[in-house]
Amino acid sequence: MDALSSSAILRISAVRTEEKPPRTTIHQPRTPKTTATTTTTTQPKLEKSGSPRSSPPPPPSIPAALCNALDDLINNFIDPAVHRPSVDPRHVLCDNWDPVGELPPTPCPVVRGCIPRCLAGGAYIRNGPNPQYLPRGPHHLFDGDGMLHSLLLSSTSATGDAVLCSRYVRTYKYLLERKAGGPVLPSVFAGFHGAGGIARGAVTAARVLTGQMNPLEGVGLANTSLALHAGQLYALGESDLPYAVHVDPSSGEIATRGRCDFEGRLVMGMTAHPKKDPATGELFAFRYGPMPPFVTYFRFDPAGRKSADVPIFSVAKPSFLHDFAVTERHAVFPDIQIVMKPMDMVLGGGAPVGSDPEKVTRLGVLPRYAASEAEMRWFEVPGLNPIHAVNAWEEDGGRTLVLVAPNVLSVEHALDRMDLVHSCVEMVRIDLESGAASRVPLSAGNLDFGVIHPSHVGRKNRYAYLGEGDPMPKISGVVKLDLQKAGRGDCVVARRDFGPGCFGGEPFFVPEGDGEEEDAGYLVSYVHDERSGESRFVVMDARSSVLDVVAEVLLPSRVPYGFHGLFVTQTELRSQRPRRY
């Protein structure tokens, strides 16, 4: 890894800080040059508005008006969403997927039990899609603007119970469309389909050529997950660079600091699932895309300095590589049957991302400090399609590699009909000397969004906690798996159902104590009651045989369903890098 100067500074747009290394560039999204749309746009149903528009958008330029008219033509006649119910916004954005407005820091009470001491003063922050404007064309859940919902828990009873704040990540796309007064970019997962997709691509290209938008500023959504590394909190979405965000440890307010390229060392994008080694403090990551090299591996040292890229050219075709795993010695990459195939859109009227049932799935194993892919080894594991990974480790003195991950059994529905997806958690064992692979199912349940004790990342662990889909991506409850029971029947040893009409999301494990007991800690999640319309923050005892609820916070506003989150302790909140002018 190339070390940067220890006297480097952290740059945030036009302001200058006096931080020590790493030397990271954080670019504030520039004010877009686009102009307003001409068609009437319905805003999301706002429960509370953080900063309402003070004046209407300016009238559009001639190129913008022409592009807007072409968009209307495509959405109304060439490829109307009503012809594909699975991507019709009226169907996709219903119930608790309905977008909400921003919420400034707002007090909320603990209505059941009390907050455990290990959570006091910290914040649970969850990311998820929340379209700023209701789409006019086809829409996929993955394509909503990133919104962070942060619950700051009181450290003392004298200051109140908790504070909820919901804010958009101020991405370039968010600012572009806010200035335009409506949607500008089509849905990536739903809009580029057949002739309509080709037409939308042409309109997007016209917007670029006429200066209405600059894709070099990033077109990502930052809507998938969060990571905390080297004192900086990031909102992540794999199609773009990370966005630095900050949660005020006193007020609970959320602010976007800007788009980070780590002093020009990070380009294009980064996975939304980086892995932090609990012993070394390093952060391991990768990016993937439609152009070779289709996968690129890299890492960050404990101070946040990025290593050189390791391009992986042995991935011959672009695939949907959403997550990976690390062990103490290796990085593990799944090459699955969800692939990118843009020519299907051009020639066959299909989508640019879909399934390839003829592809033989495999796992790539690379030494985690490799300088090139020369030592990459691929192991065929037919039928294994993990979108997420739970954990991985080595056994038998390093001869055996073990991966625990939910396997998507109905991969053809993984993107377009998530309600039909069933994921079965499996334990995969690979003999690194002989190449033999074996698989054992751990549960028959429809399980995904798995988490473990953070100190066991890359090490052998016993317990895993996953959300139970009913159907996916709505989570009706949480289960606890005992991995020591692998091969001896169902590994579920505890379960908590949220109740009729109640759904949550990914559980997050917050450890308690010195870590000697792996399951000593609590599971936290937002849970929404579709009958009453109430949303709550729920704390469950991870050691309990029924995952007892020990505390609940009644939230002042509805929190939509989302994707991934994390818990930031009080010490970590106070240790965030200061922004000095």
Coordinates of all heavy atoms in Angstrom, one line a residue, residues 197-258:
G197 N -36.2 1.7 -22.8 CA -34.9 1.9 -22.2 C -33.9 2.5 -23.1 O -33.1 3.4 -22.7
I198 N -33.9 2.1 -24.4 CA -33.0 2.8 -25.4 C -33.4 4.3 -25.5 O -32.5 5.1 -25.6 CB -33.1 2.1 -26.7 CG1 -32.6 0.6 -26.6 CG2 -32.3 2.8 -27.8 CD1 -32.9 -0.2 -27.8
A199 N -34.7 4.5 -25.6 CA -35.1 5.9 -25.7 C -34.7 6.7 -24.5 O -34.3 7.9 -24.6 CB -36.6 6.0 -25.9
R200 N -34.9 6.2 -23.3 CA -34.5 6.9 -22.1 C -33.0 7.2 -22.1 O -32.5 8.2 -21.6 CB -34.9 6.2 -20.9 CG -36.4 6.1 -20.6 CD -36.8 5.6 -19.3 NE -38.3 5.5 -19.2 CZ -39.0 4.5 -19.4 NH1 -38.4 3.3 -19.8 NH2 -40.3 4.5 -19.3
G201 N -32.2 6.2 -22.6 CA -30.8 6.4 -22.6 C -30.4 7.5 -23.6 O -29.5 8.3 -23.3
A202 N -31.1 7.6 -24.7 CA -30.9 8.7 -25.6 C -31.2 10.1 -25.0 O -30.5 11.1 -25.2 CB -31.7 8.5 -26.9
V203 N -32.3 10.1 -24.3 CA -32.7 11.4 -23.6 C -31.6 11.8 -22.6 O -31.2 13.0 -22.5 CB -34.1 11.3 -23.0 CG1 -34.4 12.6 -22.2 CG2 -35.1 11.1 -24.1
T204 N -31.2 10.8 -21.8 CA -30.2 11.1 -20.8 C -28.9 11.6 -21.4 O -28.3 12.5 -21.0 CB -29.9 9.8 -20.0 OG1 -31.1 9.4 -19.3 CG2 -28.8 10.1 -18.9
A205 N -28.5 11.0 -22.6 CA -27.3 11.4 -23.3 C -27.5 12.9 -23.8 O -26.6 13.7 -23.7 CB -27.0 10.5 -24.5
A206 N -28.7 13.2 -24.2 CA -29.0 14.5 -24.7 C -28.8 15.5 -23.5 O -28.3 16.7 -23.7 CB -30.4 14.6 -25.3
R207 N -29.3 15.2 -22.4 CA -29.1 16.1 -21.2 C -27.7 16.3 -20.9 O -27.3 17.4 -20.5 CB -29.8 15.5 -20.0 CG -31.4 15.4 -20.1 CD -32.0 15.0 -18.7 NE -33.4 14.7 -18.8 CZ -34.3 15.7 -18.7 NH1 -34.0 16.9 -18.5 NH2 -35.6 15.4 -18.8
V208 N -26.9 15.3 -21.0 CA -25.4 15.4 -20.8 C -24.8 16.3 -21.8 O -24.1 17.3 -21.5 CB -24.7 14.1 -20.8 CG1 -23.2 14.2 -20.7 CG2 -25.2 13.2 -19.6
L209 N -25.1 16.1 -23.1 CA -24.5 16.8 -24.2 C -24.9 18.3 -24.2 O -24.2 19.2 -24.7 CB -24.9 16.2 -25.5 CG -24.3 14.8 -25.8 CD1 -24.8 14.2 -27.1 CD2 -22.7 14.9 -25.8
T210 N -26.1 18.6 -23.7 CA -26.6 20.0 -23.7 C -26.2 20.7 -22.3 O -26.7 21.8 -22.1 CB -28.1 20.1 -23.9 OG1 -28.8 19.2 -23.0 CG2 -28.4 19.6 -25.3
G211 N -25.5 20.0 -21.5 CA -25.0 20.7 -20.2 C -26.0 20.7 -19.1 O -25.8 21.4 -18.1
Q212 N -27.1 19.9 -19.2 CA -28.1 19.9 -18.1 C -27.6 19.1 -16.9 O -28.1 19.3 -15.8 CB -29.4 19.3 -18.6 CG -30.0 20.1 -19.8 CD -31.3 19.4 -20.3 OE1 -32.2 19.1 -19.5 NE2 -31.3 19.1 -21.6
M213 N -26.7 18.2 -17.1 CA -26.1 17.4 -16.0 C -24.7 16.9 -16.4 O -24.3 16.9 -17.6 CB -27.0 16.2 -15.8 CG -27.2 15.3 -17.0 SD -28.1 13.8 -16.6 CE -27.0 12.9 -15.6
N214 N -24.0 16.6 -15.4 CA -22.6 16.2 -15.5 C -22.4 14.8 -14.8 O -22.3 14.8 -13.6 CB -21.6 17.2 -15.0 CG -20.2 16.8 -15.2 OD1 -19.8 15.8 -15.8 ND2 -19.2 17.5 -14.6
P215 N -22.4 13.7 -15.5 CA -22.3 12.4 -14.9 C -21.0 12.2 -14.1 O -20.9 11.4 -13.2 CB -22.4 11.4 -16.0 CG -22.0 12.2 -17.2 CD -22.4 13.6 -17.0
L216 N -19.9 13.1 -14.4 CA -18.7 13.0 -13.6 C -18.9 13.4 -12.2 O -18.0 13.1 -11.3 CB -17.6 13.8 -14.3 CG -17.2 13.4 -15.7 CD1 -16.1 14.3 -16.3 CD2 -16.7 11.9 -15.7
E217 N -19.9 14.1 -11.9 CA -20.2 14.5 -10.5 C -20.9 13.4 -9.7 O -21.1 13.5 -8.5 CB -21.2 15.7 -10.5 CG -20.6 17.0 -11.1 CD -19.5 17.6 -10.2 OE1 -19.5 17.3 -9.0 OE2 -18.7 18.5 -10.7
G218 N -21.2 12.3 -10.4 CA -21.8 11.2 -9.8 C -23.3 11.1 -9.9 O -24.0 12.2 -9.8
V219 N -23.9 10.0 -10.2 CA -25.3 9.9 -10.4 C -25.9 8.8 -9.4 O -27.0 8.4 -9.6 CB -25.7 9.5 -11.9 CG1 -25.3 10.6 -12.8 CG2 -25.0 8.2 -12.3
G220 N -25.1 8.5 -8.4 CA -25.6 7.5 -7.4 C -26.5 8.0 -6.5 O -26.8 9.3 -6.4
L221 N -27.1 7.1 -5.6 CA -28.2 7.5 -4.7 C -27.8 7.4 -3.3 O -28.5 8.0 -2.4 CB -29.4 6.5 -4.9 CG -29.9 6.4 -6.4 CD1 -30.7 5.1 -6.6 CD2 -30.8 7.6 -6.6
A222 N -26.7 6.8 -2.9 CA -26.2 6.7 -1.5 C -27.4 6.2 -0.6 O -27.6 6.7 0.5 CB -25.7 8.0 -1.0
N223 N -28.1 5.1 -1.1 CA -29.3 4.7 -0.4 C -29.2 3.3 0.2 O -30.3 2.8 0.6 CB -30.5 4.8 -1.4 CG -30.4 3.7 -2.5 OD1 -29.4 2.9 -2.5 ND2 -31.4 3.7 -3.4
T224 N -28.1 2.7 0.3 CA -28.0 1.3 0.6 C -27.6 1.0 2.0 O -28.2 0.2 2.7 CB -27.1 0.5 -0.4 OG1 -27.5 0.9 -1.7 CG2 -27.2 -1.0 -0.2
S225 N -26.5 1.6 2.5 CA -25.9 1.2 3.8 C -25.1 2.4 4.3 O -25.1 3.5 3.8 CB -25.1 0.0 3.7 OG -23.9 0.2 2.9
L226 N -24.4 2.1 5.5 CA -23.5 3.1 6.1 C -22.3 2.4 6.5 O -22.3 1.2 6.8 CB -24.2 3.8 7.2 CG -25.4 4.7 6.9 CD1 -26.6 4.0 7.6 CD2 -25.3 6.1 7.5
A227 N -21.2 3.1 6.7 CA -20.0 2.6 7.2 C -19.3 3.7 8.0 O -19.4 4.9 7.7 CB -19.0 2.1 6.1
L228 N -18.6 3.3 9.1 CA -17.9 4.2 9.9 C -16.4 3.7 9.9 O -16.1 2.6 10.3 CB -18.4 4.2 11.4 CG -17.6 5.1 12.4 CD1 -17.8 6.5 12.0 CD2 -18.1 4.8 13.8
H229 N -15.5 4.6 9.4 CA -14.1 4.2 9.3 C -13.2 5.5 9.5 O -13.5 6.5 9.0 CB -13.8 3.6 8.0 CG -12.4 3.1 7.9 ND1 -11.9 2.1 8.7 CD2 -11.4 3.4 7.0 CE1 -10.7 1.8 8.4 NE2 -10.3 2.6 7.4
A230 N -12.2 5.3 10.3 CA -11.2 6.4 10.6 C -11.9 7.7 11.1 O -11.6 8.8 10.7 CB -10.4 6.6 9.4
G231 N -13.0 7.5 11.9 CA -13.7 8.7 12.4 C -14.6 9.4 11.5 O -15.1 10.4 11.8
Q232 N -14.9 8.8 10.3 CA -15.8 9.4 9.4 C -16.9 8.4 9.1 O -16.7 7.2 8.8 CB -15.1 9.8 8.1 CG -16.0 10.4 7.0 CD -16.6 11.7 7.5 OE1 -16.0 12.7 7.7 NE2 -17.9 11.7 7.6
L233 N -18.2 9.0 9.1 CA -19.3 8.2 8.7 C -19.7 8.4 7.3 O -19.6 9.5 6.8 CB -20.5 8.7 9.6 CG -21.8 7.9 9.5 CD1 -21.6 6.4 10.0 CD2 -22.9 8.6 10.4
Y234 N -20.0 7.3 6.5 CA -20.3 7.4 5.1 C -21.6 6.8 4.8 O -22.0 5.7 5.4 CB -19.2 6.6 4.3 CG -17.8 7.1 4.5 CD1 -16.9 6.5 5.3 CD2 -17.3 8.2 3.7 CE1 -15.6 7.0 5.5 CE2 -16.0 8.7 3.9 CZ -15.2 8.1 4.7 OH -13.9 8.6 4.9
A235 N -22.4 7.4 3.9 CA -23.5 6.8 3.3 C -23.1 6.2 2.0 O -22.4 6.8 1.2 CB -24.6 7.9 3.0
L236 N -23.5 4.9 1.7 CA -23.0 4.1 0.6 C -24.1 3.7 -0.3 O -25.2 3.3 0.0 CB -22.2 2.9 1.2 CG -21.1 3.1 2.2 CD1 -20.5 1.8 2.6 CD2 -20.0 4.0 1.6
G237 N -23.7 3.7 -1.6 CA -24.5 3.1 -2.7 C -23.5 2.7 -3.7 O -22.6 3.5 -4.1
E238 N -23.5 1.4 -4.2 CA -22.4 0.9 -5.0 C -22.2 1.5 -6.3 O -21.1 1.3 -7.0 CB -22.6 -0.6 -5.1 CG -23.9 -1.0 -5.8 CD -24.3 -2.4 -5.4 OE1 -24.4 -2.6 -4.2 OE2 -24.6 -3.2 -6.2
S239 N -23.2 2.3 -6.8 CA -23.0 2.9 -8.1 C -22.3 4.2 -8.1 O -22.1 4.9 -9.1 CB -24.4 3.1 -8.8 OG -25.2 4.0 -8.0
D240 N -21.8 4.6 -6.9 CA -21.1 5.9 -6.8 C -20.1 5.9 -5.7 O -20.0 4.9 -5.0 CB -22.2 7.0 -6.5 CG -21.7 8.4 -6.9 OD1 -20.5 8.6 -7.2 OD2 -22.6 9.3 -7.0
L241 N -19.4 7.0 -5.5 CA -18.4 7.1 -4.4 C -19.2 7.3 -3.1 O -20.4 7.7 -3.1 CB -17.5 8.3 -4.6 CG -16.7 8.4 -6.0 CD1 -15.8 9.6 -6.0 CD2 -15.9 7.1 -6.1
P242 N -18.5 7.0 -2.0 CA -19.2 7.2 -0.7 C -19.5 8.7 -0.5 O -18.7 9.6 -1.0 CB -18.2 6.7 0.3 CG -17.2 5.8 -0.4 CD -17.2 6.4 -1.8
Y243 N -20.5 9.0 0.3 CA -20.8 10.4 0.7 C -20.6 10.5 2.2 O -21.1 9.7 3.0 CB -22.3 10.7 0.4 CG -22.5 11.3 -1.0 CD1 -22.6 10.4 -2.1 CD2 -22.5 12.6 -1.3 CE1 -22.8 10.8 -3.4 CE2 -22.7 13.1 -2.6 CZ -22.8 12.2 -3.6 OH -23.0 12.7 -4.9
A244 N -19.7 11.4 2.6 CA -19.4 11.7 4.0 C -20.6 12.4 4.6 O -21.1 13.3 4.1 CB -18.2 12.5 4.2
V245 N -21.1 11.8 5.8 CA -22.2 12.4 6.5 C -21.8 12.6 8.0 O -20.8 12.0 8.4 CB -23.5 11.6 6.4 CG1 -24.0 11.5 5.0 CG2 -23.3 10.2 6.9
H246 N -22.5 13.4 8.7 CA -22.2 13.7 10.1 C -23.4 13.7 10.9 O -24.4 14.3 10.5 CB -21.5 15.0 10.2 CG -21.1 15.4 11.6 ND1 -21.9 16.1 12.4 CD2 -20.0 15.1 12.3 CE1 -21.3 16.3 13.6 NE2 -20.1 15.7 13.6
V247 N -23.4 13.0 12.0 CA -24.5 13.1 13.0 C -24.1 13.8 14.2 O -23.1 13.4 14.9 CB -25.0 11.7 13.4 CG1 -26.1 11.7 14.4 CG2 -25.5 10.9 12.1
D248 N -24.8 14.9 14.5 CA -24.4 15.7 15.7 C -24.7 15.0 17.0 O -25.9 14.5 17.2 CB -25.2 17.0 15.7 CG -24.7 18.0 16.7 OD1 -24.9 17.8 17.9 OD2 -24.1 19.0 16.3
P249 N -23.7 14.7 17.8 CA -23.9 13.9 19.0 C -24.8 14.6 20.1 O -25.2 14.0 21.0 CB -22.5 13.7 19.6 CG -21.7 14.8 19.0 CD -22.3 15.1 17.7
S250 N -25.0 15.9 19.9 CA -25.8 16.7 20.9 C -27.3 16.8 20.4 O -28.2 16.5 21.1 CB -25.2 18.0 21.1 OG -23.9 17.9 21.7
S251 N -27.4 17.3 19.1 CA -28.8 17.5 18.6 C -29.4 16.4 17.9 O -30.6 16.3 17.7 CB -28.8 18.8 17.7 OG -28.0 18.5 16.5
G252 N -28.6 15.5 17.3 CA -29.1 14.5 16.4 C -29.2 14.9 15.0 O -29.6 14.0 14.2
E253 N -28.9 16.1 14.6 CA -29.0 16.6 13.3 C -28.1 15.8 12.3 O -26.9 15.5 12.7 CB -28.8 18.1 13.2 CG -28.9 18.7 11.8 CD -30.3 18.5 11.2 OE1 -30.6 17.5 10.5 OE2 -31.1 19.5 11.4
I254 N -28.5 15.6 11.1 CA -27.7 14.9 10.1 C -27.3 15.9 9.0 O -28.1 16.7 8.5 CB -28.5 13.8 9.4 CG1 -29.0 12.8 10.5 CG2 -27.6 13.0 8.4 CD1 -30.0 11.8 9.9
A255 N -26.0 15.9 8.7 CA -25.6 16.8 7.6 C -24.7 16.0 6.6 O -24.0 15.0 7.0 CB -24.7 17.9 8.2
T256 N -24.9 16.3 5.3 CA -24.0 15.7 4.3 C -22.8 16.6 4.1 O -22.9 17.8 3.8 CB -24.8 15.6 3.0 OG1 -26.0 14.8 3.2 CG2 -23.9 14.9 1.9
R257 N -21.6 16.0 4.2 CA -20.4 16.8 4.0 C -19.9 16.8 2.5 O -19.3 17.7 2.1 CB -19.3 16.2 4.9 CG -19.5 16.5 6.4 CD -18.4 15.9 7.2 NE -18.3 16.5 8.5 CZ -17.5 16.2 9.5 NH1 -16.6 15.2 9.2 NH2 -17.5 16.8 10.6
G258 N -20.2 15.7 1.8 CA -19.8 15.7 0.4 C -19.4 14.3 -0.1 O -19.3 13.4 0.7

